Amino acid sequence: MKALKFVLGILLGLALIATPFSTWQPAPTAGLQSLAVQLDGRKKPLDTVARETVTQIHGSTSYRLESGVREDYFTTFMGLWFNDRDWNQEPFILVNYRPLKESAGLDIERKYFSFKELMQSNLPATLRQVRDKQAAEAELSRDAREALTVADRMSLMLETVARDELPLVPHPTDLKGKWMGIPQALDSYSADEVSDLAGTLELMKLTYAGHRVPEAIEPLALQLHTQLQQLSPEIYPSDRTLSREVLFNRLHAFGKAWQVFAVAFVAMLAVTFVPLPNWYWLPIGTFTVGLGIQLYGFALRVMVADRPPVTNMYESVVWVGFGIAALALIFELKSRARYYLLAAAPLSILALVLADSLPAVLDASIQPLVPVLRDNFWLSVHVPTITLGYACFALAMGLGHIMLSQYWLAPNNKSRITKLSKLNYSVLQVGILLLAAGIILGGIWAHFSWGRFWGWDPKETWAAIALLCYLAPLHGRFVGWVNTFGMAVASVVSFNAVLMAWYGVNFVLSQGLHSYGFGTGGSAGIAALVAADLLFVAATAVRYKSLTRATQSDESSSSSALDPVLVQQSTPAQ
């Protein structure tokens, strides 16, 4: 029966992954999407170029027209590339930083503005001041960095609209040589070959102008793909390589994973709090499928990038979400406690949803590695290890929240609270081992990359602070200074040190040698979540104190009531 329930759970997860079925079928614009382009230091399909371009400018993978119609990223990119409307007037550029909108004289309630609106605002004057600071090598404020981000979006839009120089033409002989736009290809290819390419591209533009849908130019795109491939077959990427990356984009494996985790979480809730003991293995099977599709997505991304996922916050967030789920499943299979999955599923879902819904903050694009990260074994070991430590502490934070909630929902259920405390303690021990190992491996990497093991860089310092924030309560528990409630509070509150080492150094401080991971955005939301969480912990502490006083009062009253009887029994008979 257990095996049957497990198989049913797997089938449920696979059914969620398989829908919509169109994901697994060839797209009607597969030939157009798989045209190879060399941009940002690597060769990638046009589908990826479209996704990254629209996301960087608009902050989303879809664009809602004023008519209410929503375009996907590929249709929007084709409109930009073939200039099918007056893009100067389209409210397409994302500006979401409120102080910048105020200083530029823009409507603070809007998120999207047209190129014309931004040029007519005070933004150009602000940008001139920022450029002057850059030239003087002065430290830039958050406002200045946000202004530069908007300037980058505007520049990218100018480059994309009606772009004739899109580097579609491969270098004739050099695998790492620079690709060209069709107009520039005369320097490397014959006039007849370039004329054929230009003719096909022009016919694509005319056909698109008459239909305004990418499907209309699919036959011509296939023709152009063949022509480009025949120019330099040894340099042009293989169809399999290009199709793999298009599948990675279409599959959206990380988005499917959190949906499967959500179903597994609901099923585990039902199994735990409703008398359904024989169905325990169904949510386990479903959760395993979610972990599997996330692992498959990682494998695709690693093959596309040709490197481990170690370069930016997006990859880090997705990897931590995977680590939380994987560690929880391992602990769960060992203990059959149920609470590991109940703690892990919401956190993994949160990580994957944030990575999926905040492209303007968490850049999902695959970029070439900066020199300090290239061909470095120790980096490839250090980053996954230390972020798995973060994942362990996140799982402990989830268990800590479940423990704290017991003081509101079932404070008299001492056995459950004690059980949760033991589960939490095991996770914290593994987390400390992983974080300590990650710090040591980071020091080895720093020795090879920067010539020193430790330099009190902000990232290094906060990693050490995070380790101490967990070592202190664990040692306190060992000697009896920290009780069960104190460990629950510590597992929740100490995660803020991890959050600072993981997010705060890169997105708030933006200082140190780890500059390749710096970014902007999201700090207001993170601060609000942290404040709300600390308020919950404080309220629970007040609740715990009141419960403790009430228990002590009851014990004292019971002792007082028994005292006369004890005295009477101890009095000798006269």
Side-chain angles (χ1 to χ4, degrees):
M1 283 297 290
K2 292 180 179 178
L4 178 61
K5 300 298 191 300
F6 185 73
V7 171
L8 287 175
I10 289 177
L11 292 175
L12 175 59
L14 291 175
L16 293 169
I17 291 171
T19 53
F21 299 109
S22 58
T23 301
W24 303 95
Q25 299 170 348
T29 56
L32 181 60
Q33 289 172 278
S34 61
L35 281 172
V37 185
Q38 188 194 61
L39 274 180
D40 304 321
R42 75 181 189 95
K43 307 175 190 74
K44 46 191 169 184
L46 188 65
D47 183 76
T48 299
V49 174
R51 187 182 187 90
E52 292 175 353
T53 300
V54 172
T55 300
Q56 186 173 342
I57 300 172
H58 191 59
S60 174
T61 54
S62 62
Y63 174 44
R64 185 169 183 172
L65 305 177
E66 292 184 353
S67 62
V69 176
R70 187 171 289 277
E71 290 182 343
D72 61 53
Y73 65 86
F74 195 73
T75 301
T76 303
F77 176 80
M78 293 304 297
L80 287 163
W81 186 23
F82 290 161
N83 198 17
D84 65 353
R85 69 200 79 167
D86 186 1
W87 284 101
N88 195 43
Q89 304 285 350
E90 290 285 328
F92 186 64
I93 302 174
L94 173 67
V95 185
N96 57 352
Y97 186 56
R98 194 182 185 96
L100 179 62
K101 287 189 281 188
E102 291 176 346
S103 64
L106 300 169
D107 185 353
I108 58 175
E109 302 302 326
R110 290 175 56 192
K111 290 178 60 178
Y112 303 107
F113 300 86
S114 68
F115 190 90
K116 183 178 180 179
E117 287 176 309
L118 295 178
M119 289 302 297
Q120 291 177 345
S121 69
N122 295 329
L123 182 61
T126 302
L127 285 173
R128 283 193 292 271
Q129 295 174 1
V130 173
R131 299 294 187 195
D132 291 341
K133 288 183 179 180
Q134 270 191 316
E137 298 183 354
E139 183 177 342
L140 297 181
S141 64
R142 167 76 185 278
D143 292 6
R145 296 198 304 271
E146 291 286 350
L148 289 175
T149 299
V150 176
D152 290 340
R153 291 173 185 152
M154 295 171 69
S155 298
L156 181 58
M157 187 166 179
L158 276 178
E159 292 174 6
T160 306
V161 174
R163 183 173 184 176
D164 290 329
E165 301 83 16
L166 192 66
L168 295 165
V169 184
H171 192 279
T173 56
D174 189 356
L175 187 62
K176 296 183 178 181
K178 185 178 179 180
W179 287 30
M180 303 148 279
I182 292 177
Q184 293 81 38
L186 282 171
D187 294 336
S188 302
Y189 295 98
S190 68
D192 290 340
E193 290 173 323
V194 174
S195 178
D196 290 342
L197 294 175
T200 304
L201 182 60
E202 188 61 31
L203 192 55
M204 286 172 61
K205 292 180 179 180
L206 292 174
T207 305
Y208 187 86
H211 295 84
R212 298 292 182 92
V213 290
E215 291 86 343
I217 59 173
E218 173 66 7
L220 293 167
L222 289 170
Q223 179 181 332
L224 181 62
H225 184 103
T226 302
Q227 291 172 330
L228 291 166
Q229 198 170 39
Q230 289 174 347
L231 285 178
S232 186
E234 294 184 0
I235 303 300
Y236 205 84
S238 68
D239 292 342
R240 183 179 180 181
T241 300
L242 295 168
S243 298
R244 181 193 295 131
E245 188 163 350
V246 173
L247 172 63
F248 174 74
N249 294 334
R250 293 189 67 213
L251 179 59
H252 200 199
F254 304 139
K256 289 183 180 293
W258 75 255
Q259 295 171 12
V260 178
F261 286 151
V263 173
F265 173 71
V266 173
M268 185 59 82
L269 274 178
V271 168
T272 303
F273 296 106
V274 179
L276 297 171
N278 295 329
W279 288 90
Y280 167 78
W281 288 97
L282 186 141
I284 294 292
T286 305
F287 193 85
T288 302
V289 172
L291 197 61
I293 188 61
Q294 190 174 3
L295 184 61
Y296 179 62
F298 261 118
L300 283 177
R301 187 175 177 98
V302 168
M303 285 188 286
V304 168
D306 196 28
R307 56 168 173 76
V310 297
T311 62
N312 59 26
M313 183 59 75
Y314 171 84
E315 292 176 337
S316 176
V317 168
V318 176
W319 174 252
V320 167
F322 171 79
I324 293 169
L327 290 165
L329 185 60
I330 292 170
F331 281 113
E332 183 65 37
L333 293 176
K334 181 181 177 181
S335 66
R336 308 287 196 273
R338 291 183 171 87
Y339 294 106
Y340 284 117
L341 256 62
L342 290 176
L347 294 170
S348 293
I349 292 168
L350 177 63
L352 294 175
V353 168
L354 288 175
D356 196 36
S357 59
L358 297 173
V361 178
L362 303 175
D363 183 10
S365 63
I366 299 174
Q367 303 290 345
L369 294 177
V370 297
V372 73
L373 304 182
R374 293 175 187 165
D375 301 323
N376 197 315
F377 167 78
W378 293 109
L379 171 71
S380 301
V381 177
H382 152 64
V383 174
T385 301
I386 202 166
T387 46
L388 278 180
Y390 295 166
C392 249
F393 292 136
L395 180 58
M397 180 192 66
L399 288 168
H401 278 91
I402 295 177
M403 289 175 63
L404 293 178
S405 68
Q406 296 304 304
Y407 291 97
W408 293 93
L409 303 175
N412 295 323
N413 196 336
K414 305 297 184 184
S415 61
R416 182 186 295 171
I417 294 175
T418 302
K419 179 181 179 180
L420 284 166
S421 182
K422 291 179 179 178
L423 299 176
N424 193 26
Y425 187 66
S426 300
V427 176
L428 288 172
Q429 287 177 309
V430 176
I432 283 178
L433 286 174
L434 287 170
L435 183 58
I439 292 173
I440 293 170
L441 290 168
I444 297 173
W445 167 49
H447 172 72
F448 281 101
S449 298
W450 297 320
R452 87 290 186 278
F453 184 85
W454 190 269
W456 297 107
D457 179 79
K459 195 78 168 177
E460 299 167 351
T461 304
W462 274 103
I465 291 172
L467 182 62
L468 292 173
C469 284
Y470 285 97
L471 282 173
L474 255 68
H475 281 77
R477 179 186 184 278
F478 184 75
V479 299
W481 294 345
V482 180
N483 60 11
T484 299
F485 179 78
M487 285 303 300
V489 171
S491 64
V492 174
V493 174
S494 295
F495 189 73
N496 291 314
V498 171
L499 202 59
M500 187 64 195
W502 183 27
Y503 168 86
V505 172
N506 288 2
F507 281 71
V508 179
L509 297 182
S510 296
Q511 293 180 1
L513 292 173
H514 294 73
S515 59
Y516 48 84
F518 291 174
T520 58
S523 55
I526 296 292
L529 284 174
V530 169
D533 200 33
L534 291 177
L535 186 62
F536 168 72
V537 172
T540 308
V542 173
R543 167 79 170 169
Y544 172 74
K545 286 292 184 182
S546 64
L547 290 171
T548 303
R549 291 194 192 99
T551 301
Q552 292 172 347
S553 177
D554 291 342
E555 291 175 351
S556 176
S557 299
S558 299
S559 300
S560 299
L562 289 173
D563 281 348
V565 177
L566 294 173
V567 170
Q568 184 177 5
Q569 289 177 346
S570 63
T571 303
Q574 297 294 327

